[in-house]
Amino acid sequence: DIQMTQTTSSLSASLGDRVTISCSASQGISNYLNWYQQKPDGTVKLLIYYTSSLHSGVPSRFSGSGSGTDYSLTISNLEPEDIATYYCQQYSKLPWTFGGGTKLEIK
Amino acid sequence: QVQLQQSGAELVRPGTSVKVSCKASGYAFTNYLIEWVKQRPGQGLEWIGVINPGSGGTNYNEKFKGKATLTADKSSSTAYMQLSSLTSDDSAVYFCAREGWDGGYFDVWGAGTTVTVSS
């Protein structure tokens, strides 16, 4: 199975900050990488698919980048509603696998 | 609008089975795959498997073969996941999600169903 690693399990930032969350795959995944947001109430939403495509309705302050084994999600101008846990997920090879999550908190 | 409505929380005994439902609305049920994901308390997300509601075809994470069985009822636009021989390790929130039209990403999620296995 492809292992997805989010080395930062929690992150604290101030409102208005630019935040970058990283994700690394155990082998190349050819940009088949998605990002999800899980709010404290458990609700899960798709943010970014195929590394950098913004899902419909997602604010433009969210962006994704990366290639090969290393990928990142950037939130520019952090807002209070961005408090959540963020997960990466690869779909290069079955079984689909997720990173362990990065919990974002406000300073 | 597009929605996946999951069944309510379950409290079940060890060794028994439970069936979780996921009712789709707002789109053509048979045109999109339905995925299932497990989340243990305080833990990350784990992919269980996927079903094609149109054909009934399934694909499972090897880890969940023999544990989870995925089915779908086209007449009611509902997907189901049955979990068998339950143990405390199966206590978790289970999500269903729709796979996007061009594959690999989960664009609509249900709210999750909490399954608690306890005697």
Side-chain angles (χ1 to χ4, degrees), chain A residues 44-62:
Chain A
V44 182
K45 291 184 179 178
L46 172 68
L47 297 175
I48 302 282
Y49 61 98
Y50 195 54
T51 295
S52 59
S53 295
L54 195 66
H55 181 52
S56 175
V58 174
S60 58
R61 64 179 181 275
F62 290 92

Side-chain angles (χ1 to χ4, degrees), chain B residues 71-83:
Chain B
T71 56
D73 177 3
K74 288 185 279 191
S75 67
S76 63
S77 297
T78 303
Y80 298 92
M81 177 179 66
Q82 179 159 328
L83 300 169

Side-chain angles (χ1 to χ4, degrees), chain A residues 1 34 36 38 42 44-46 49 55 87 89 91 94-100, chain B residues 35 37 39 43-47 59 61 95 99 102-107 109 111:
Chain A
D1 297 0
N34 306 317
Y36 301 90
Q38 185 172 37
V44 182
K45 291 184 179 178
L46 172 68
Y49 61 98
H55 181 52
Y87 294 94
Q89 175 239 331
Y91 62 109
L94 285 170
W96 307 151
T97 48
F98 294 84
Chain B
E35 312 269 359
V37 174
Q39 185 172 39
Q43 303 298 310
L45 304 169
E46 192 170 19
W47 180 73
N59 203 326
N61 185 334
F95 293 96
E99 183 172 314
D102 50 351
Y105 56 89
F106 307 166
D107 65 348
W109 289 67

Side-chain angles (χ1 to χ4, degrees), chain B residues 4-71:
Chain B
L4 296 174
Q5 185 170 357
Q6 295 191 230
S7 49
E10 300 269 8
L11 173 60
V12 293
R13 299 284 185 243
T16 64
S17 298
V18 69
K19 196 169 189 177
V20 177
S21 67
C22 171
K23 183 173 176 57
S25 60
Y27 72 97
F29 180 59
T30 56
N31 287 1
Y32 293 81
L33 306 182
I34 293 289
E35 312 269 359
W36 289 88
V37 174
K38 176 182 181 181
Q39 185 172 39
R40 297 208 67 197
Q43 303 298 310
L45 304 169
E46 192 170 19
W47 180 73
I48 296 171
V50 58
I51 184 166
N52 180 331
S55 67
T58 55
N59 203 326
Y60 293 91
N61 185 334
E62 199 68 31
K63 180 178 177 180
F64 291 94
K65 285 183 178 178
K67 170 62 64 178
T69 302
L70 305 181
T71 56

